[in-house]
Amino acid sequence: MVPLLQQHIGIGISHAANSITITTDPSPRPPPPLLRLHPQPRRRRHAPAKPIALYTNCKCASAAASVEEDDVAGLGYRHPPKQIQEILDVPPNPSYLISPRRDRIMFLKRTAMPPLSELTKPENVLSGIRIDPGSNMRSRMSFYTGITVHDLMANGTLGPAKEVHGYADGAKINFVTWSPDGQHMAFTVRYKDKVDNSVNLSLWVANAESGEARPLCISEDIRLNAIFELFVWVNDSTVLVCTIPSSRGCPPKKPLVPFGPRIRSNEHKNVVQMRATKEMLKDLHEEELFDYYATSQLILLSLDGTVKPIAPPAIYTALDPSPDEKYLMLTSVHRPYSSTVSYKRFPKKVELWTVDGTFIREVCDLPLAEDIPITSGSVRKGKRLIRWRPDMPSTLYWVEAQDGGDANVEVSPRDIVYMELADPLNGEEPQVLLKLDLRYRRISWCNGSHALVYEHWYKTRRTRTWVISPDCKDVSPQILFERSSEDAYSNPGSPMMCRTPAGTFVIAKIKTNYEGTYILLKGKGATPKGSTPFLDLLNINTGVKERIWESSKEKYYESVLALMSYNPKCEIQLNHLKLLVSKESRMEPTQYYIKAWPDKNQVQITNYSHPYPQLALLQKEVIRYQREDGVKLTATLYLPPAYDPSKDGPLPCLIWSYPGEFKSREAAGQVRRSPNKFARISSNFPLLWLARGFAILADPTIPIIGERDQEANDRYIEQLVASAEAAVNEIVRRGVAHHDRIAVGGHSYGAFMTANLLAHAPHLFCCGIARSGAYNRTLTPFGFQKEVRTLWVATDTYIKMSPFMSANKIKKPILLIHGEDDSKVTTAMQSSQFYDALKGEAKMV
């Protein structure tokens, strides 16, 4: 098998008694190792705590391992080849946060990848949450390593960088936010406890003018609880913080003798259909652990260090101050818990309190929601999506399903949007804001005269945008847009938002010389020739649009990121419009600019260097071709620098993709990418192999189409093979690849695709790479991806789509990669059983 792979593509996978070796080289000679995985590697200081035979955590596989090279053949994790490691070690460009008044920009430095030691720390997995018990926060969190602040000058340039300072070198920074007035930043710093060496969180605050940072609370009795929302600014000088209750002791220990048998019953004959789940609460001990780690005591913490406890301890999942800073909306979950669903469906209580700690009322207390149907569009019963209206001092709005939350029920209206004051006077009933026949999605608020309400229905792909006048009862709602959600070419874009002095976001009103109310819509601008982002001026009264800007089409890809003009009333003069935009090309990395009207001049505010100069001249082309049934397909072809197919001949090629489902051939054939975007290379995407001389066909569209009443997956295999065959034929026709040296790969549903292609189209590929896939659909009997029929309704489809059932047909080598503790529903058991099936059939794996 090794000679076969080395000769045809240069990926070698050998199955020996003690190792599985992955190597890469486009030449026939034995290449250097990329990664070696072993059944039982030695336990070392930096090695994963739970290595297994065939699988590796994807992060671990690509992480910049600090493990020393082991000269003993067949032991330990390995560094990738130098060409790849040089790319992986490049840190990403900083993230940015714009101040509320648009007068400063904060840049947050990041690292390339965490070491293996960071990924293998002990953790508790409870109700779908991975918890780091040492710091009482989510485990495996990325972090920032530094913060710089720049003033935004009147001419669009940035002032000198002010490094936020005061914390120790090597600090791991998280949860960075601006205060509402933009004068301070709050963030957390991770540090080691002096007594027990555990990792704790400390809340810090920095002065935006000087960059000087200090701990906000120096009391060692106050420890942060970051399992859910950690803190939120209540006003310019106060934050509401989740802390660990002072009465909390040591974690509950698992009893040596179980409490009793694990009992699950359905005496009430409830219909509970859940997609494949894992990591739910298994027993009483895990329920106690969930209570222990997730329960918080809320405190109000002022910048002067004043601490005030508020509300009783509970498992608070969301903290929402009202725009007028008078009320707090506190969301919590409580018992009875479930072993079937995650905390998101536990009984949920929403309460209103004043900021001085007075309880106002209970908004709702929803019961356990195990019985939400699996049909797309089904939702929880009762009040949902409870929010503060951002343009009003303290008004709540929410949605309630009229179909019992069951998308299978035909009813009109399907959803009703309600609104009421935080503290209703004289027992006033909630006001009906709008009745919808599709499923509510969201509201973009402008003011009392205008708001945009979005509704959608997945089965038909219909989406509508309504214009409503929330405070004008005599004005009827009007449909602004109605279209297919699949039709990228008709997407009108989304409104530009402006931040209010209260810290909320509303639609910016644009002042012009014309009559009417105008707003800005930004969009990706999908076209048959590629995406061209745009900015439209929309008369919200008439629906008439005027394009006031669009990206360059020839060389650059530009995109509007944020509104930089500031007005307390969110009313912006068009001639004073100021935007943050990004600009990039195939060979130039993304840079940020300030673009100002009326001349639309722009000032560059960043100057990032090319992250991988060795690939600065890589070749990129968005190609179009056609499936046998006439469906138009798109892919992005990447070739190494200086490669010439007429002189150099075909290259080994890797095709990496992920199937998508559509209701129409027209939508499936649309172009949703740009040839001018910079090629960003990440550790989990195959562009790395350009450094090793491969050709890469990235994201070729694999549309699975079910028009009208047809179910797309009933023709899954047929359409999958047809799409793959069209892609292979196109790159062979171009002379960049040879039929015998093309591999296919993918992640998750792409891994599922890979196994199916090797089973049903073995003539197309010489081998496959399948990462974190689910291969036996009988183990996901209540649906997967967009499939909403159960195994018992669509038995034949489930069986035919499962590559596990076709393991005897797979005769080409396949590499299966899976994280032992995969946090998704695609458990490692899927890969393990598939491997056993292939091995039982004596296939090459």
Side-chain angles (χ1 to χ4, degrees):
M1 181 182 65
V2 174
L4 169 69
L5 289 168
Q6 290 176 349
Q7 290 171 12
H8 292 290
I9 189 170
I11 297 181
I13 310 170
S14 65
H15 179 208
N18 296 316
S19 70
I20 296 169
T21 306
I22 310 169
T23 57
T24 65
D25 199 312
S27 61
R29 65 182 181 275
L34 165 64
L35 172 69
R36 292 193 176 111
L37 315 179
H38 312 281
Q40 294 180 335
R42 293 185 308 188
R43 185 70 58 84
R44 290 184 292 188
R45 184 164 52 94
H46 298 288
K50 297 180 180 179
I52 59 176
L54 184 62
Y55 325 103
T56 178
N57 184 297
C58 297
K59 291 182 180 178
C60 293
S62 58
S66 57
V67 183
E68 68 278 5
E69 285 292 340
D70 193 330
D71 293 331
V72 181
L75 290 179
Y77 285 95
R78 297 286 178 168
H79 288 287
K82 181 180 178 182
Q83 303 99 313
I84 291 178
Q85 186 170 336
E86 288 175 345
I87 296 174
L88 294 177
D89 286 342
V90 176
N93 290 333
S95 300
Y96 68 88
L97 287 175
I98 307 168
S99 67
R101 296 184 181 178
R102 283 7 196 189
D103 56 351
R104 294 187 175 103
I105 299 180
M106 182 191 335
F107 290 98
L108 309 172
K109 300 175 185 178
R110 299 181 287 175
T111 58
M113 284 174 295
L116 292 175
S117 57
E118 182 75 16
L119 301 177
T120 57
K121 289 182 177 179
E123 61 183 3
N124 290 316
V125 184
L126 304 168
S127 193
I129 305 172
R130 289 179 174 267
I131 297 173
D132 178 353
S135 58
N136 222 98
M137 63 186 294
R138 302 288 181 99
S139 62
R140 306 187 187 188
M141 285 188 66
S142 59
F143 54 88
Y144 302 111
T145 59
I147 305 173
T148 57
V149 180
H150 296 260
D151 291 334
L152 181 62
M153 314 307 289
N155 62 0
T157 61
L158 295 185
K162 290 173 283 191
E163 194 82 22
V164 174
H165 57 277
Y167 46 79
D169 293 339
K172 296 177 180 178
I173 301 168
N174 289 99
F175 307 108
V176 185
T177 61
W178 288 100
S179 63
D181 61 2
Q183 298 304 305
H184 295 89
M185 302 92 72
F187 54 92
T188 62
V189 173
R190 282 184 249 178
Y191 67 97
K192 286 190 176 182
D193 190 278
K194 297 179 181 179
V195 178
D196 59 10
N197 209 36
S198 63
V199 178
N200 294 325
L201 284 179
S202 174
L203 184 60
W204 286 59
V205 64
N207 183 288
E209 183 65 33
S210 66
E212 183 178 356
R214 59 181 174 84
L216 189 53
C217 183
I218 60 175
S219 172
E220 295 184 358
D221 295 330
I222 297 179
R223 298 180 61 188
L224 307 183
N225 189 337
I227 301 303
F228 295 107
E229 188 164 10
L230 173 56
F231 71 88
V232 63
W233 287 92
V234 174
N235 53 44
D236 295 338
S237 60
T238 308
V239 289
L240 179 65
V241 188
C242 283
T243 66
I244 296 172
S246 58
S247 60
R248 194 180 85 169
C250 297
K253 294 183 178 180
K254 188 171 185 176
L256 297 177
V257 178
F259 292 110
R262 183 182 178 191
I263 300 173
R264 300 175 65 185
S265 66
N266 192 22
E267 297 175 353
H268 300 291
K269 298 182 180 180
N270 296 323
V271 177
V272 179
Q273 296 180 337
M274 283 297 301
R275 294 203 168 188
T277 58
K278 59 175 297 187
E279 303 175 345
M280 301 301 106
L281 298 178
K282 301 180 183 66
D283 52 35
L284 294 176
H285 172 64
E286 291 201 348
E287 291 187 9
E288 290 180 346
L289 284 175
F290 182 72
D291 283 335
Y292 178 85
Y293 288 110
T295 299
S296 294
Q297 171 63 61
L298 299 180
I299 63 170
L300 288 169
L301 185 56
S302 300
L303 295 185
D304 62 7
T306 303
V307 176
K308 179 181 179 180
I310 186 172
I315 300 177
Y316 294 104
T317 58
L319 315 174
D320 297 292
S322 62
D324 63 1
E325 304 173 356
K326 292 182 178 180
Y327 300 95
L328 300 172
M329 180 166 60
L330 308 179
T331 303
S332 60
V333 297
H334 59 83
R335 291 173 180 263
Y337 300 145
S338 170
S339 61
T340 305
V341 298
S342 77
Y343 75 91
K344 295 179 181 179
R345 295 195 186 182
F346 287 176
K348 181 167 70 173
K349 182 183 295 186
V350 179
E351 297 178 334
L352 290 183
W353 293 68
T354 63
V355 292
D356 61 5
T358 302
F359 175 76
I360 300 297
R361 65 186 176 99
E362 181 183 282
V363 177
C364 67
D365 190 356
L366 304 178
L368 180 66
E370 290 183 325
D371 58 348
I372 300 176
I374 60 173
T375 305
S376 183
S378 295
V379 295
R380 192 171 193 159
K381 300 174 186 176
K383 295 180 179 179
R384 71 180 198 277
L385 301 174
I386 306 170
R387 303 285 188 269
W388 291 110
R389 186 171 151 180
D391 64 322
M392 295 292 286
S394 51
T395 298
L396 294 171
Y397 70 98
W398 68 89
V399 191
E400 293 187 41
Q402 305 303 297
D403 54 9
D406 187 350
N408 296 301
V409 175
E410 295 294 334
V411 65
S412 178
R414 190 171 292 279
D415 270 343
I416 297 180
V417 185
Y418 294 93
M419 182 172 64
E420 73 173 347
L421 296 174
D423 196 3
L425 302 175
N426 304 318
E428 293 177 339
E429 292 296 318
Q431 174 187 339
V432 174
L433 190 61
L434 187 63
K435 297 181 179 180
L436 302 170
D437 285 335
L438 307 183
R439 187 64 79 201
Y440 168 88
R441 299 197 78 169
R442 68 183 186 277
I443 298 180
S444 294
W445 296 88
C446 187
N447 52 30
S449 299
H450 295 97
L452 300 182
V453 182
Y454 301 83
E455 61 175 339
H456 175 257
W457 195 244
Y458 174 76
K459 188 173 183 179
T460 61
R461 309 302 200 271
R462 299 311 300 168
T463 181
R464 296 189 190 119
T465 303
W466 293 85
V467 179
I468 65 170
S469 298
D471 297 342
C472 304
K473 296 183 179 179
D474 56 338
V475 178
S476 299
Q478 300 293 324
I479 292 179
L480 181 62
F481 303 116
E482 183 168 10
R483 47 182 286 274
S484 168
S485 60
E486 289 186 337
D487 184 6
Y489 294 167
S490 69
N491 191 333
S494 57
M496 294 289 293
M497 309 300 287
C498 178
R499 185 159 178 165
T500 69
T504 62
F505 285 89
V506 299
I507 300 175
K509 299 182 290 294
I510 305 301
K511 295 294 185 179
T512 69
N513 295 326
Y514 314 120
E515 292 185 1
T517 301
Y518 288 84
I519 66 173
L520 293 173
L521 296 177
K522 66 171 183 174
K524 295 182 178 180
T527 73
K529 294 184 179 180
S531 296
T532 305
F534 64 84
L535 189 67
D536 283 350
L537 182 67
L538 170 71
N539 185 321
I540 204 170
N541 305 107
T542 64
V544 176
K545 294 185 292 183
E546 175 190 350
R547 185 142 300 179
I548 63 172
W549 174 86
E550 70 176 4
S551 172
S552 165
K553 298 179 181 178
E554 299 303 320
K555 179 181 178 181
Y556 290 101
Y557 180 88
E558 302 166 283
S559 184
V560 174
L561 302 177
L563 185 66
M564 298 299 290
S565 306
Y566 178 74
N567 180 282
K569 296 182 179 180
C570 291
E571 297 177 349
I572 309 298
Q573 290 287 341
L574 180 59
N575 286 339
H576 296 161
L577 182 64
K578 192 179 293 184
L579 303 172
L580 177 67
V581 301
S582 64
K583 183 178 180 179
E584 61 191 283
S585 72
R586 294 180 225 191
M587 298 182 182
E588 301 172 49
T590 302
Q591 307 292 352
Y592 298 130
Y593 295 76
I594 300 296
K595 183 182 289 289
W597 265 249
D599 298 327
K600 302 179 185 177
N601 295 327
Q602 59 186 30
V603 178
Q604 185 173 340
I605 63 172
T606 61
N607 188 25
Y608 299 128
S609 60
H610 198 295
Y612 1 92
Q614 64 272 45
L615 293 178
L617 298 179
L618 66 82
Q619 303 173 59
K620 173 187 175 182
E621 182 182 0
V622 174
I623 63 175
R624 294 281 278 164
Y625 50 99
Q626 191 166 291
R627 207 163 72 177
E628 188 178 23
D629 60 2
V631 175
K632 296 179 181 179
L633 305 175
T634 310
T636 305
L637 178 62
Y638 294 91
L639 299 171
Y643 168 72
D644 184 343
S646 63
K647 297 179 180 179
D648 303 325
L651 295 174
C653 180
L654 175 59
I655 296 177
W656 194 271
S657 191
Y658 193 100
E661 187 175 310
F662 294 88
K663 288 298 291 182
S664 73
R665 298 161 57 91
E666 293 74 22
Q670 292 183 346
V671 180
R672 295 172 171 83
R673 64 189 84 190
S674 169
N676 297 327
K677 296 196 73 172
F678 182 70
R680 295 173 181 83
I681 301 178
S682 63
S683 61
N684 58 1
F685 200 66
L687 294 189
L688 285 167
W689 305 111
L690 288 167
R692 302 284 284 173
F694 280 64
I696 306 296
L697 192 68
D699 297 321
T701 48
I702 309 284
I704 311 300
I705 305 167
E707 295 185 295
R708 295 177 293 278
D709 294 330
Q710 296 176 344
E711 293 289 348
N713 283 338
D714 288 348
R715 296 178 55 237
Y716 173 84
I717 298 298
E718 172 190 338
Q719 297 188 68
L720 177 70
V721 172
S723 298
E725 192 159 32
V728 168
N729 289 341
E730 178 63 18
I731 57 176
V732 171
R733 183 191 69 78
R734 289 170 172 263
V736 301
H738 189 279
H739 264 299
D740 294 335
R741 302 183 73 194
I742 301 175
V744 62
H747 174 75
S748 188
Y749 205 48
F752 177 76
M753 169 205 74
T754 298
N756 265 312
L757 286 172
L758 294 186
H760 301 287
H763 61 290
L764 296 179
F765 305 104
C766 67
C767 64
I769 302 173
R771 187 178 65 204
S772 302
Y775 309 102
N776 184 352
R777 286 303 168 193
T778 67
L779 298 179
T780 58
F782 294 112
F784 54 91
Q785 293 296 112
K786 303 299 184 181
E787 180 59 69
V788 297
R789 297 171 296 175
T790 69
L791 168 64
W792 301 277
V793 172
T795 305
D796 190 52
T797 297
Y798 273 67
I799 298 298
K800 287 182 178 179
M801 287 183 67
S802 297
F804 181 84
M805 303 300 177
S806 300
N808 61 315
K809 297 180 181 179
I810 297 180
K811 304 183 185 301
K812 297 293 179 67
I814 181 171
L815 170 64
L816 305 175
I817 305 173
H818 215 122
E820 182 185 26
D821 292 329
D822 194 326
S823 61
K824 306 299 182 183
V825 299
T826 52
T827 63
M829 180 183 69
Q830 287 271 6
S831 290
S832 178
Q833 290 188 348
F834 189 39
Y835 173 81
D836 289 340
L838 294 169
K839 188 176 180 181
E841 286 292 316
K843 306 304 175 188
M844 291 188 292
V845 290

